[in-house]
Amino acid sequence: YEDSTLFAGYPAKRCWYPFSGNVYQEILPSAAAGYPYTIDALFLHKGSPGYAAPGANKQLEVLKDVEKIPLLLASDIVIGESSMYADYLFPDTAIWERWGTPHITPDVVTAVSKVRQPMVQAMTEEVKVYGVKQPLGMEAVLLAIAEKLNLPNHGKDGFGKGQPLERADDWFIRMVANLAQGDKPGTQVPAAKAEEQAIFKKARRHLSGYAYDPERWRKILGDDMFLRVITVLNRGGRFEDAEHAYKGDKVHHQFKNQFNLYAEKVALAKHPGTGKRFSGLALAEPIRDFHGNEVKDAGYDLNLITYKDIVGGQSRTIGNYWAQGRELQENYILMNSRDAKKLGLKDGAEAKILSASNANGMWNVGFGQDRPVAGKVKVVEGIRPGVVAVSWHNGHWAYGAGNVKVDGKVVKGDKRRGKGLCPNAAMRIDPALGDMCLTDPIGASSSFFDTKVKVVPA
């Protein structure tokens, strides 16, 4: 902050994050405040800040405001809680229809690189980009924009003479080749033999085009690398053998750098909201706002936490009725029996969650769709008194939960997707900023566990 042209003493207008990146919850409020700059257009893909971020009501305010974001584009598999505000909404391919190279969690002790690949042909409409037929999806939209703007490094010679970048698989098949090649000489995967090739062909006999185009891929990769790519695709990625996880009683892939309990880089920096230096050591502190003031919400005496049900990994899992069973199609406000008795709430009673930054406990969706942060109470002994918990991924108002009109035709919603509640709108807004959730100024994590609430009968 001090090295920037925006430096104007302390506190800064907003937080600066020198030790982190991709601060999801900061993007929309920062753009709305014009600090460090405004934005003219926003493209949303695989993200729903108006539903997923803590204090999501403030994110919705920005998404709704055409003065703050004049042009909103989105690529989505549904009309979602954030993409519903888009000026242009492009259908996207779903996870089982698309390519990808998703990362793994760092607790896996073997070397792993996953590959997502189409299991079924995409159900979106077919479009032509660079003269090549392909399903409409995020990659097709980006390539179409590149074609319209005549951008270099795209099209029939995008990767060099005779090496196209015209379709999603042109990119991803090369990504798979990188995995097949390995990190250093001598680490290539073996080329697929006749049996492997037969499995590859048989497993994909129902696919075509972007999802399965062996002749195109062979031409791009060459005969030898194509056979090695088959080895990776047949396994859904590249996976180190389990016996390589450990060397004796130590992990095989060791962190060989110095591990610092004291982080000097952090200690030399100043908190942009207070002008005071950060501690280079981990501290246990009260919850503080951007200006360093302790957040005390008198009269809100319950701690709100959240978690994920075993079949509720992300918001999209609300549609997996066959995996969830009847019980898990709805979530609850979990509460200890002592708190329930004190508040006069019985198991199954309807209740509403209120906080200091959302005193009426409402999702301010607009367009006649405002809804309460409310659901059924479930009284349990397995939660500490003074704490209430609400699981993640329920309580939709969009995402197929309500009716929508497309080309003049009403598409009926499925009420099961609207069951239960999402607690995010009740989560604490930083009182010093007023437009985003409480956030760790060092690691930039958004706060899902630091909100004090009331639970009242609905």
Side-chain angles (χ1 to χ4, degrees):
Y1 170 53
E2 286 189 353
D3 295 334
S4 78
T5 57
L6 294 179
F7 181 69
Y10 291 95
K13 187 174 179 181
R14 302 190 68 79
C15 196
W16 291 61
Y17 302 95
F19 310 113
S20 51
N22 299 322
V23 189
Y24 185 81
Q25 70 276 16
E26 173 72 41
I27 296 167
L28 292 180
S30 169
Y35 186 83
Y37 46 78
T38 57
I39 57 175
D40 295 320
L42 174 70
F43 192 109
L44 285 173
H45 180 248
K46 283 189 178 178
S48 186
Y51 173 80
N57 257 3
K58 293 297 181 180
Q59 306 281 336
L60 288 177
E61 285 180 17
V62 184
L63 289 172
K64 287 187 289 187
D65 192 337
V66 295
E67 299 297 322
K68 299 286 170 48
I69 303 180
L71 178 61
L72 178 57
L73 308 102
S75 175
D76 204 341
I77 62 171
V78 292
I79 300 175
E81 277 77 18
S82 297
S83 59
M84 65 180 276
Y85 301 99
D87 300 293
Y88 296 94
L89 178 53
F90 300 97
D92 191 22
T93 46
I95 53 171
W96 39 85
E97 301 169 332
R98 67 180 295 114
W99 291 91
T101 49
H103 63 81
I104 62 159
T105 54
D107 58 323
V108 178
V109 293
T110 51
V112 175
S113 292
K114 299 187 289 185
V115 176
R116 176 181 292 154
Q117 53 192 304
M119 294 170 59
V120 293
Q121 210 73 26
M123 295 177 68
T124 56
E125 64 186 283
E126 197 171 67
V127 296
K128 259 191 181 180
V129 183
Y130 290 111
V132 179
K133 288 183 179 179
Q134 53 197 289
L136 181 54
M138 187 272 290
E139 293 87 355
V141 172
L142 296 185
L143 286 166
I145 292 169
E147 182 181 29
K148 186 73 175 175
L149 297 178
N150 196 28
L151 294 182
N153 306 117
H154 295 78
K156 69 175 184 175
D157 298 320
F159 284 107
K161 188 70 174 172
Q163 289 285 321
L165 178 53
E166 304 167 320
R167 206 168 63 181
D169 54 310
D170 292 339
W171 174 273
F172 285 104
I173 208 67
R174 290 177 170 87
M175 293 284 282
V176 179
N178 285 342
L179 299 179
Q181 179 67 20
D183 297 328
K184 48 186 179 288
T187 59
Q188 289 180 318
V189 298
K193 296 207 165 34
E195 184 182 4
E196 284 263 355
Q197 293 176 50
I199 291 169
F200 179 72
K201 186 175 181 180
K202 188 175 181 182
R204 291 158 180 79
R205 64 190 183 276
H206 61 296
L207 300 173
S208 61
Y210 85 106
Y212 178 58
D213 200 339
E215 292 314 309
R216 183 184 180 96
W217 299 346
R218 188 187 292 272
K219 187 177 177 183
I220 289 171
L221 302 171
D223 292 340
D224 179 71
M225 183 52 72
F226 175 63
L227 294 178
R228 298 180 194 278
V229 161
I230 287 176
T231 300
V232 175
L233 290 178
N234 273 0
R235 287 155 181 76
R238 185 166 181 176
F239 304 87
E240 186 179 31
D241 291 337
E243 57 262 30
H244 294 156
Y246 294 91
K247 279 184 179 178
D249 62 349
K250 304 291 190 300
V251 293
H252 184 176
H253 301 290
Q254 296 175 3
F255 180 80
K256 294 184 178 179
N257 297 322
Q258 180 172 294
F259 188 87
N260 295 315
L261 296 177
Y262 169 76
E264 185 165 313
K265 183 180 177 183
V266 175
L268 291 174
K270 291 180 181 177
H271 189 311
T274 66
K276 297 177 182 176
R277 292 200 183 278
F278 288 115
S279 169
L281 295 168
L283 298 178
E285 288 189 308
I287 305 306
R288 299 189 187 280
D289 66 15
F290 175 54
H291 291 159
N293 301 311
E294 187 175 348
V295 177
K296 293 181 177 180
D297 293 334
Y300 296 89
D301 53 358
L302 295 170
N303 293 286
L304 173 65
I305 64 171
T306 185
Y307 67 99
K308 288 180 180 176
D309 273 316
I310 193 166
V311 296
Q314 295 295 347
S315 53
R316 61 178 174 266
T317 50
I318 191 65
N320 293 352
Y321 311 127
W322 54 90
Q324 296 190 61
R326 293 179 62 84
E327 177 71 10
L328 288 172
Q329 285 170 13
E330 182 170 5
N331 66 341
Y332 303 90
I333 302 169
L334 302 185
M335 178 181 293
N336 186 275
S337 60
R338 296 184 204 175
D339 292 323
K341 185 177 180 181
K342 187 164 60 177
L343 297 170
L345 293 168
K346 294 185 177 179
D347 195 70
E350 292 280 344
K352 194 175 180 183
I353 297 176
L354 317 178
S355 68
S357 51
N358 193 338
N360 62 355
M362 293 293 294
W363 280 94
N364 299 320
V365 180
F367 311 108
Q369 295 192 62
D370 291 358
R371 60 180 292 158
V373 185
K376 293 177 183 174
V377 171
K378 179 168 276 191
V379 179
V380 295
E381 298 307 326
I383 191 167
R384 184 186 179 95
V387 177
V388 292
V390 180
S391 69
W392 165 249
H393 90 280
N394 286 84
H396 289 272
W397 58 88
Y399 216 92
N403 296 348
V404 293
K405 190 180 282 188
V406 180
D407 292 335
K409 181 183 176 183
V410 174
V411 179
K412 291 283 187 182
D414 186 336
K415 290 182 179 178
R416 287 178 292 183
R417 296 187 178 211
K419 279 188 171 183
L421 72 157
C422 176
N424 291 3
M427 290 179 182
R428 192 65 166 95
I429 298 298
D430 187 317
L433 293 171
D435 58 8
M436 66 177 283
C437 62
L438 293 167
T439 298
D440 171 17
I442 299 173
S445 296
S446 55
S447 168
F448 283 88
F449 300 99
D450 300 310
T451 299
K452 303 284 283 186
V453 298
K454 291 178 187 176
V455 177
V456 299

